[in-house]
Amino acid sequence: MFNFEITALGNMFFGLTVLVFVSLFFVPNKHRSVTLYSLLFASLACIFYASDLITLFIGWEIMGWSSYFLIAKTADKQTLQKYIVFNIGGAFTLLGAIILIYGACGSFVYSELDFSAVPSGQVTAITILLLLTLFVKSGIMPFHYWVVDSYSQSNDLFSAVLSAIISKTGVFAFILIFFQIITVQYLQTPILEVVAWLGVLTSIIATFKAINEDEAKRLLAYSSIAQVGYIVTILSIMGSLSLEAALYHTVIHTFVKLLLFINVAAIIYVSKQHRFSTLGGLLYKYPLNFILLVVGIISLAGMPPLGGFSSKFLIYTALLEEHKGLLLAAVLFSSASAFLYCYKLVYGIYLGQPTNPKTEAYPRIPLRFYVPQILGAVILITLGTIPGVIVPMFNGILGSVGFEPVLYRGVFVLGSDFASFNGGVVIGAFGLIFVLILLFFVRLKNRSVKPKDRLDISYCGEVPRADVNLHYGYGMGRELSRIGLIKMILSRSSHALWQRVSTLFGDLSGITQKLYTLSAQNMGLVIFAFFTILLYMGVK
Amino acid sequence: MSLVYFIAIPILASFLTPFYKNYLRFVSVLVNILLAGFAAFFYSRLPLNEFISLDSPLSIIFILDYVSFFFVSLFIGVMLFFSLYSIKEKNNTAVFVVTNIFTSGALGLILSADIFNIYIFFEIASISAYILTGLNRDKVAYSGAIKYMIVGAVASIFLLLGIMLMYLNLGYLTLSSIGAGFHTMDKGIQYLVLLSLFIGFGIKTEILPLNFWVADIYQATPTKIAALFSAVLSKAYLFVFFHILYTLKVDAPALLFLTAIGLLSFAVAELSALRSKDVKRIFAYSTLGQLGVLFLALSSANVVVVSGALFLILVHSISKLMLFFSLDLVEKKMHSTRVEAFAGFRSAFLFTIFAIGFLSLLGIPPFAGFIAKLTILKGFASMGAYGIVGAILAISLVEATYFFRLLSANQRSKKTAEIKVPLLQKIMLSLLALAILYLGLFPQGLLDFCTDAAQTLIQGVIHV
Amino acid sequence: MSLKKTVGLKTILTALLISFMSMLLLGVIMNAAYTHTSLGYDLLKINTISTQSANAVTSVVTYFRGLDTLGEVTILFLSIFGIGIGIERSDRMKTILGYDSTLLKIGTKVLFPLIVLFGLYIIAHGHLSPGGGFQGGVIIASGFLLMFLAYGDSYDLDHKVLSLFEALSGAGFILVGILAALAGGAFLGNMLPLGVLGKLFSSGILPIIYIFVGLKVAAEITVLVEYFIRTQDARDA
């Protein structure tokens, strides 16, 4: 039944899980359910350390339903329905794939699975089923419908878990199954090609949805979809360097999302506001939170000098090395667009004029909110400075799944023969420039005029009413929808489709339910008619 | 020791009711403990045949092999649980009079290897079920009971027709002899016999075009009794049907037809439950769905699949027992089984019980239902029937939707009443939940037994 | 009333369905090739050896298929119990109107013991002549019916005794079976000497079983008669 094996890959993911759970333990939370969180934790351990497919599946399902109960307290009916249909559906496709693998190879244990004698059609079927499962968990298009609602409606702490860890189980399973179990020589190249493009498309669409989003947690949810999209794209290249890039990005994204979700959670906790249009101007109120947020979004956008750059650098290098020019262009496009929503987090919450008159009365952020954030920030800064430090760990994983290790040239240098950079130098240069600009602004600060209250903008020649939203970022990004392609992306919504499917099943259910209210007389008629039909068929 | 005690003792207990009218509930518990003792006694002597009356050609044979032992112990367990659970109900002598006879009817169906004897027990079990349906003694209950009786009578007619035709042509009533001689009969008669048996048992095992009466009956029946119908009665008919079928060595197309019917019945039942507004009806539909799965699994003639089906029978019985009994507690407090009433109760204990029951029914790990489903799917995979695997999984998704909808309805809505579960009930329901968890984590022992049982079932009754 | 209203479409379709079904059924049954079994002769041969009963039907009912008979008695008990549950609530304690005829009352007084005696006779000679427990039991119950009709409410049937009879006769049947199993090896098997064919005390266990069956049937049918005669409909008719 339960078979476990300690592997380098499992260690990495489990390590991330432990860090996230431990740091989240400090965060105050209304809906704390120790049982469910422990179940979730156990199920994650079960997934990461499983040594056969059944154990993996058991973990997968327990993760699914324990998350469900954690979300169910705060989410609405439709969100929950989506969650169940997609996640249980995803789990059932996993079970279907496992059963297919069993039918083909006669075993569930990883090490006993041999696909050399399996017809390629069957391998393709297995691949597609598995991909469905992973796409659902990671929210790859077109299976991302459930993600945003569930992330944004679950309680703030659990959103972080969903984004930081649970979306990564899809990545884990991808690596485990396609790198280690089925292995690349039995996979169909066209499928991988499709996967790569699905990943990129997902990230582009999610990026634009995020730009247009007014709710902080929904923005982060879309961003999460986009980032996991990159990971899936780079994984589908199936090379040594690309695997390293994917692992690197996984680590970075875990901590970025942990940091950002808790950062936003802290703001929501003190202000009770979820939307950018009701936030703003909190910079001087919560400066520490602001600095941590900046660390997070610099990493999220993949800008130097922080950890996000290291992983993005590897992604670009891997794509270039494999001559995937178009893919690279798409990734760059999406990555560049990501600046827009990243910046929204900064100005929407911290800069500009405060929209809410009660801003002054907001309480202090409890210190416990800083524990996961500081953990994330420290790791991100470290990985920016000494990006090579976790390469040996990744090499261990690469070795365990049978790939050649990538070049390791000390803690400061990251990259391959093709291209590399020195994190120490980069951060040093950036640090220098940063300090210079900071000094400049510090000098400038004494000369600036301090407004009396939020409506005091008389020097602009205007006296606004109290209900006017004065935030300069208000409505920013709206003009994006004038661009045809982006407008199309933004106007698409899964809502109508979902509604239609739901109604269809409801109607069908109504019809069949009617059958079950037949009177005894009609029931008798049905029985005799059925008998007569079968008899007639048999006699003929 | 004789196998006939399994039948005689519960009937004796009911016949003698006037002597201990108010204490029948204790007697019932004792009877069930006694039967459990018998079962334990026979366990080491498996498999065994017993001639109840010696002289051929009309001799009656009882068989206790691995598969019938599986059912016998399951039913005794369920009935013991039921009688212990209701031990505090003083004014309910009538229930125990009937449930005792119900027990012996169900056990007789399993044990008997004589086709007319089976008919007698079929009637005993059916008539006790009609009476149990009417026990609420109101309009709904009576009309339900009458409906049940009419449909049941039709089933009996078809069954009797099949039995009559076999007896007329072969001159034997013993299953083993019939199995040996069945294929010497005229082809048309063979078909007619199989068809009548299918219709007769199909009505009772609640299979698709023949099951449109079921939901109403479950709704009319007292909730706790509905658990017995779901856990014992339908399973007994199911077993007998396939016992006869495998003994008659039915050909592959017929089995394929049954598989298709089972799948269809699973799909339609789960679909109907999707928008149902009444929890009791939802449970009824879910029972129909599971019976569909069992039907399609049992008709596969594959040892692995059938052993999974047997495992599922056990798990489904435990889950339904747990769910209906918990629903009974909810119904007592809220005076309704509507979804709104279900959403309104507050009790962490009952919620957990419901959640475990639902997850197990859905075949979600780490609960026992998963092992059953996995074994069934594994078997189908080894047969190469991937279409069936896909269909089962797809339909299970529909099942998941409504079960989780029920749970979240309770989690999110405003609570109107707090339910305090009495200690006895709490202990017994927890025992069932633990059993489900235990079987989910350590299924191997039971699975091995189920494999032996499946082999015996597929082999059919062998001519001696 | 038009024909369309009296004979609906459903009725016509049903009639068509049933006739089509009967046609098919008859087609299958008539066209089949039957092999005749020698069951009847085998049975008679075995009957003289193993039961010494003059009535082969009785041997089948009480001996060869004794277990089925136990089942049938149980079904009878169940059915009447079920009817009791259905009737108990609504129409309990309705008075019975007797016919109030002196002639009938006196005549019944004479006839009642004779009817019961006749019933007992039929039961006791089940293994010798046509008849037996079921038939005799119904005859006894008919005596009680006559008493109800003649005396109405003034006929005071002792329910305690009746239910005692009901319980003991059923239990006796099973206990005899179990005793036989303990003594002879098979349930309801023969543990007594078979005696001589045609004598009252012969055929071993058979007459004992039939006596229990007869008493059980008599008690059950009497209960049933009382249930029905006390209902509203019966009084109005």
Side-chain angles (χ1 to χ4, degrees):
Chain A
M1 247 315 253
F2 288 102
N3 296 308
F4 298 105
E5 185 187 17
I6 304 228
T7 59
L9 185 66
N11 276 338
M12 178 190 132
F13 278 89
F14 188 63
L16 291 179
T17 312
V18 171
L19 281 178
V20 169
F21 269 73
V22 167
S23 65
L24 285 179
F25 181 72
F26 291 96
V27 177
N29 178 21
K30 236 192 329 194
H31 301 285
R32 192 190 290 267
S33 168
V34 178
T35 327
L36 287 174
Y37 276 109
S38 351
L39 258 174
L40 183 64
F41 185 75
S43 70
L44 288 166
C46 194
I47 291 172
F48 296 143
Y49 286 129
S51 74
D52 68 35
L53 291 166
I54 291 302
T55 314
L56 176 80
F57 179 74
I58 290 173
W60 200 271
E61 282 275 32
I62 298 178
M63 174 178 75
W65 61 259
S66 55
S67 313
Y68 175 83
F69 288 124
L70 283 165
I71 296 173
K73 283 175 185 160
T74 48
D76 66 26
K77 199 170 152 189
Q78 210 183 37
T79 308
L80 289 173
Q81 228 172 43
K82 280 187 204 169
Y83 180 89
I84 278 306
V85 169
F86 278 100
N87 280 277
I88 299 287
F92 282 167
T93 52
L94 177 60
L95 184 57
I98 291 175
I99 295 294
L100 263 174
I101 292 176
Y102 179 78
C105 306
S107 172
F108 290 122
V109 183
Y110 296 160
S111 52
E112 290 170 13
L113 298 178
D114 177 21
F115 285 83
S116 52
V118 182
S120 71
Q122 208 160 344
V123 176
T124 310
I126 293 169
T127 315
I128 290 174
L129 283 176
L130 286 171
L131 282 174
L132 287 180
T133 311
L134 313 183
F135 283 5
V136 165
K137 244 334 165 238
S138 306
I140 301 298
M141 264 200 354
F143 304 100
H144 61 285
Y145 292 157
W146 69 276
V147 176
V148 179
D149 288 343
S150 304
Y151 281 26
S152 66
Q153 289 180 12
S154 55
N155 77 64
D156 301 338
L157 189 147
F158 192 62
S159 307
V161 178
L162 273 172
S163 173
I165 294 298
I166 291 181
S167 69
K168 301 301 181 308
T169 53
V171 175
F172 169 81
F174 194 110
I175 298 172
L176 176 78
I177 291 166
F178 294 124
F179 282 77
Q180 195 178 339
I181 296 178
I182 301 187
T183 66
V184 68
Q185 73 250 36
Y186 303 116
L187 289 174
Q188 303 282 322
T189 337
I191 294 181
L192 291 175
E193 204 75 17
V194 171
V195 172
W197 278 103
L198 273 179
V200 168
L201 275 179
T202 305
S203 70
I204 292 176
I205 290 176
T207 301
F208 281 102
K209 289 254 184 197
I211 293 169
N212 205 36
E213 190 54 63
D214 188 37
E215 212 175 296
K217 274 170 72 180
R218 287 181 75 88
L219 184 147
L220 288 177
Y222 276 123
S223 139
S224 183
I225 295 177
Q227 300 294 320
V228 179
Y230 297 138
I231 301 181
V232 168
T233 302
I234 197 69
L235 275 175
S236 65
I237 306 291
M238 309 282 296
S240 214
L241 191 62
S242 75
L243 178 55
E244 196 202 8
L247 290 171
Y248 211 122
H249 201 62
T250 303
V251 173
I252 296 295
H253 182 244
T254 300
F255 289 107
V256 168
K257 277 291 137 67
L258 174 68
L259 193 162
L260 289 180
F261 266 107
I262 298 303
N263 193 291
V264 170
I267 296 296
I268 294 174
Y269 182 84
V270 290
S271 69
K272 310 279 180 283
Q273 306 295 333
H274 302 260
R275 301 179 161 274
F276 294 120
S277 50
T278 53
L279 285 161
L282 296 176
L283 173 58
Y284 292 108
K285 187 107 185 136
Y286 307 117
L288 179 57
N289 224 40
F290 171 72
I291 291 167
L292 289 167
L293 177 90
V294 170
V295 170
I297 61 161
I298 288 177
S299 301
L300 181 62
M303 288 184 280
L306 296 186
F309 174 69
S310 317
S311 65
K312 280 277 167 71
F313 179 81
L314 280 180
I315 291 180
Y316 302 147
T317 322
L319 283 171
L320 272 176
E321 217 181 37
E322 296 285 328
H323 306 294
K324 305 273 184 191
L326 265 174
L327 273 181
L328 177 66
V331 170
L332 277 173
F333 174 60
S334 152
S335 194
S337 316
F339 284 116
L340 289 174
Y341 71 73
C342 288
Y343 184 48
K344 193 168 193 168
L345 281 170
V346 179
Y347 71 68
I349 300 176
Y350 294 97
L351 304 183
Q353 292 286 63
T355 331
N356 196 332
K358 277 181 257 161
T359 304
E360 289 304 313
Y362 289 162
R364 278 182 48 220
I365 291 176
L367 280 177
R368 290 182 292 169
F369 272 110
Y370 291 116
V371 177
Q373 293 193 60
I374 287 174
L375 171 77
V378 166
I379 287 174
L380 291 175
I381 293 169
T382 316
L383 288 182
T385 321
I386 41 172
V389 72
I390 51 175
V391 172
M393 186 178 97
F394 292 153
N395 276 339
I397 296 172
L398 260 58
S400 77
V401 296
F403 275 72
E404 276 176 29
V406 293
L407 203 58
Y408 175 60
R409 280 183 293 184
V411 290
F412 283 104
V413 186
L414 183 71
S416 60
D417 292 335
F418 190 68
S420 62
F421 77 101
N422 187 320
V425 173
V426 171
I427 209 160
F430 269 85
L432 194 68
I433 298 168
F434 179 74
V435 168
L436 286 178
I437 296 177
L438 191 68
L439 284 176
F440 177 69
F441 272 103
V442 166
R443 271 194 57 222
L444 223 62
K445 196 184 175 230
N446 296 332
R447 281 192 252 156
S448 62
V449 185
K450 233 185 167 170
K452 284 199 201 71
D453 63 9
R454 55 182 279 272
L455 293 176
D456 177 18
I457 52 169
S458 49
Y459 48 84
C460 295
E462 219 182 322
V463 182
R465 291 196 316 276
D467 57 342
V468 171
N469 196 330
L470 287 172
H471 194 292
Y472 71 90
Y474 181 67
M476 208 186 261
R478 210 181 275 164
E479 54 286 340
L480 267 178
S481 54
R482 291 199 200 144
I483 307 168
L485 178 72
I486 297 172
K487 187 184 172 190
M488 205 185 78
I489 293 171
L490 292 179
S491 60
R492 288 284 140 125
S493 163
S494 58
H495 191 77
L497 175 75
W498 180 255
Q499 208 69 16
R500 215 173 305 149
V501 171
S502 178
T503 327
L504 175 72
F505 271 89
D507 292 349
L508 272 178
S509 170
I511 294 169
T512 53
Q513 259 188 63
K514 280 249 166 54
L515 287 175
Y516 285 95
T517 51
L518 281 188
S519 70
Q521 203 184 29
N522 293 341
M523 188 63 233
L525 273 180
V526 169
I527 295 170
F528 279 105
F530 186 59
F531 176 73
T532 312
I533 292 167
L534 287 183
L535 190 60
Y536 179 70
M537 277 161 55
V539 169
K540 213 173 51 162
Chain B
M1 288 300 277
S2 165
L3 290 175
V4 96
Y5 294 153
F6 281 122
I7 320 288
I9 286 174
I11 296 184
L12 187 63
S14 276
F15 277 176
L16 288 174
T17 310
F19 290 102
Y20 37 68
K21 201 159 182 157
N22 295 322
Y23 303 100
L24 183 61
R25 53 210 160 100
F26 301 120
V27 174
S28 296
V29 173
L30 281 180
V31 164
N32 283 312
I33 291 175
L34 195 62
L35 293 187
F38 286 147
F41 171 81
F42 283 119
Y43 178 63
S44 54
R45 290 165 177 75
L46 292 180
L48 69 133
N49 295 0
E50 183 182 332
F51 283 84
I52 298 304
S53 78
L54 297 166
D55 310 73
S56 71
L58 286 179
S59 51
I60 299 175
I61 306 178
F62 272 24
I63 294 181
L64 189 70
D65 50 22
Y66 290 104
V67 61
S68 43
F69 180 81
F70 174 83
F71 280 95
V72 163
S73 42
L74 170 65
F75 293 170
I76 292 173
V78 170
M79 296 315 290
L80 177 60
F81 188 87
F82 175 82
S83 50
L84 268 176
Y85 190 87
S86 344
I87 202 163
K88 286 198 172 153
E89 289 173 21
K90 279 184 195 135
N91 309 320
N92 228 346
T93 311
V95 177
F96 293 107
V97 172
V98 186
T99 48
N100 278 336
I101 296 181
F102 177 78
T103 314
S104 59
L107 292 181
L109 272 174
I110 302 303
L111 288 171
S112 184
D114 179 285
I115 197 145
F116 186 74
N117 207 235
I118 285 177
Y119 178 72
I120 296 282
F121 288 117
F122 181 92
E123 283 295 330
I124 293 182
S126 304
I127 293 177
S128 2
Y130 310 150
I131 298 173
L132 288 170
T133 303
L135 275 181
N136 268 352
R137 300 184 193 194
D138 52 24
K139 244 186 187 155
V140 182
Y142 286 146
S143 71
I146 297 282
K147 189 172 179 180
Y148 197 178
M149 203 166 78
I150 294 171
V151 178
V154 176
S156 305
I157 292 171
F158 280 107
L159 180 58
L160 198 56
L161 176 69
I163 291 172
M164 189 193 77
L165 284 171
M166 282 194 275
Y167 186 48
L168 180 70
N169 279 280
L170 296 172
Y172 288 112
L173 289 170
T174 334
L175 262 184
S176 51
S177 322
I178 289 177
F182 184 70
H183 289 277
T184 63
M185 275 162 49
D186 182 83
K187 278 273 180 279
I189 297 287
Q190 275 185 36
Y191 183 75
L192 189 56
V193 166
L194 286 180
L195 185 56
S196 335
L197 288 180
F198 169 64
I199 300 279
F201 279 109
I203 294 172
K204 289 296 188 177
T205 48
E206 303 164 10
I207 283 309
L208 183 63
L210 311 171
N211 65 5
F212 297 139
W213 51 278
V214 181
D216 284 349
I217 304 304
Y218 273 76
Q219 199 156 29
T221 312
T223 312
K224 273 196 297 187
I225 303 292
L228 296 186
F229 289 0
S230 179
V232 174
L233 194 58
S234 47
K235 307 292 164 53
Y237 294 134
L238 200 64
F239 165 74
V240 178
F241 181 52
F242 281 99
H243 205 210
I244 295 177
L245 221 55
Y246 281 120
T247 304
L248 298 187
K249 307 250 175 322
V250 182
D251 50 356
L255 286 178
L256 201 65
F257 171 73
L258 295 182
T259 309
I261 288 275
L263 197 59
L264 204 62
S265 145
F266 182 33
V268 172
E270 299 299 1
L271 200 60
S272 306
L274 200 58
R275 282 297 145 87
S276 190
K277 298 276 187 297
D278 190 292
V279 182
K280 211 161 153 186
R281 264 186 115 80
I282 290 179
F283 288 0
Y285 290 132
S286 142
T287 302
L288 290 180
Q290 297 290 325
L291 284 170
V293 176
L294 290 174
F295 212 78
L296 96 99
L298 285 174
S299 60
S300 66
N302 175 301
V303 176
V304 182
V305 179
V306 172
S307 70
L310 293 175
F311 198 97
L312 183 60
I313 285 176
L314 177 76
V315 176
H316 178 246
S317 293
I318 299 179
S319 320
K320 275 289 148 64
L321 208 58
M322 199 164 89
L323 290 177
F324 273 113
F325 282 14
S326 316
L327 185 65
D328 180 57
L329 291 172
V330 174
E331 190 185 6
K332 274 200 187 113
K333 183 81 187 180
M334 315 291 288
H335 307 292
S336 162
T337 55
R338 307 277 301 169
V339 173
E340 302 90 71
F342 184 84
F345 78 83
R346 184 209 308 275
S347 163
F349 174 75
L350 278 185
F351 182 81
T352 316
I353 293 286
F354 276 119
I356 291 177
F358 290 168
L359 291 176
S360 172
L361 281 181
L362 289 174
I364 286 178
F367 302 105
F370 167 64
I371 305 295
K373 191 183 250 172
L374 181 70
T375 317
I376 291 177
L377 294 182
K378 243 164 73 174
F380 276 123
S382 65
M383 288 164 74
Y386 295 116
I388 295 178
V389 173
I392 292 179
L393 288 176
I395 301 167
S396 300
L397 188 57
V398 178
E399 201 181 4
T401 325
Y402 68 79
F403 273 143
F404 276 101
R405 187 170 52 109
L406 275 184
L407 286 179
S408 68
N410 182 274
Q411 241 184 337
R412 287 183 304 113
S413 69
K414 282 218 172 65
K415 307 289 190 285
T416 51
E418 169 112 30
I419 299 180
K420 282 229 159 61
V421 184
L423 186 66
L424 176 73
Q425 268 72 355
K426 217 171 201 169
I427 292 173
M428 303 210 67
L429 290 175
S430 319
L431 276 179
L432 290 183
L434 284 178
I436 285 181
L437 193 60
Y438 177 81
L439 287 178
L441 295 175
F442 310 101
Q444 207 49 52
L446 187 64
L447 263 182
D448 291 343
F449 189 84
C450 284
T451 311
D452 287 347
Q455 257 152 4
T456 340
L457 180 61
I458 292 173
Q459 206 170 42
V461 183
I462 303 209
H463 191 61
V464 272
Chain C
M1 208 187 278
S2 70
L3 190 68
K4 201 177 164 191
K5 268 184 190 159
T6 33
V7 188
L9 183 66
K10 201 166 115 185
T11 322
I12 296 170
L13 283 179
T14 314
L16 280 177
L17 174 73
I18 298 296
S19 40
F20 186 55
M21 187 184 80
S22 319
M23 226 172 66
L24 286 173
L25 265 179
L26 282 177
V28 173
I29 292 172
M30 305 285 259
N31 287 334
Y34 294 98
T35 44
H36 284 279
T37 57
S38 56
L39 181 73
Y41 302 103
D42 297 348
L43 196 66
L44 283 178
K45 236 181 273 166
I46 295 227
N47 180 37
T48 37
I49 303 163
S50 56
T51 66
Q52 287 285 332
S53 136
N55 186 348
V57 177
T58 300
S59 320
V60 173
V61 171
T62 57
Y63 185 69
F64 297 125
R65 310 290 295 187
L67 192 62
D68 289 346
T69 309
L70 173 59
E72 277 149 25
V73 168
T74 313
I75 290 174
L76 185 67
F77 168 79
L78 260 183
S79 315
I80 287 156
F81 187 82
I83 291 166
I85 281 178
I87 285 176
E88 206 175 8
R89 174 97 165 222
S90 49
D91 299 302
R92 190 80 181 163
M93 306 323 289
K94 287 270 158 53
T95 50
I96 311 166
L97 294 183
Y99 281 84
D100 203 23
S101 141
T102 319
L103 199 60
L104 184 63
K105 280 184 182 166
I106 292 170
T108 306
K109 242 181 199 168
V110 178
L111 270 178
F112 177 70
L114 289 177
I115 291 175
V116 173
L117 193 63
F118 180 61
L120 287 174
Y121 171 85
I122 295 279
I123 294 171
H125 286 74
H127 59 297
L128 299 177
S129 59
F134 287 98
Q135 297 86 334
V138 176
I139 290 171
I140 293 176
S142 74
F144 285 96
L145 173 61
L146 195 59
M147 290 300 275
F148 279 121
L149 288 176
Y151 288 89
D153 256 356
S154 55
Y155 178 58
D156 190 20
L157 185 63
D158 193 339
H159 288 102
K160 264 203 180 133
V161 176
L162 188 62
S163 63
L164 216 62
F165 256 101
E166 203 185 330
L168 285 178
S169 53
F173 187 178
I174 296 173
L175 287 174
V176 167
I178 291 177
L179 267 180
L182 292 177
F187 184 75
L188 289 172
N190 213 342
M191 52 179 176
L192 298 174
L194 288 178
V196 186
L197 180 87
K199 290 276 192 270
L200 184 59
F201 293 102
S202 67
S203 310
I205 201 172
L206 267 65
I208 301 175
I209 293 173
Y210 239 0
I211 287 170
F212 282 124
V213 171
L215 290 179
K216 180 83 181 164
V217 171
E220 296 291 356
I221 301 289
T222 308
V223 171
L224 183 69
V225 161
E226 204 198 343
Y227 275 143
F228 280 156
I229 210 164
R230 276 192 194 281
T231 59
Q232 188 81 39
D233 297 340
R235 191 175 59 174
D236 290 345

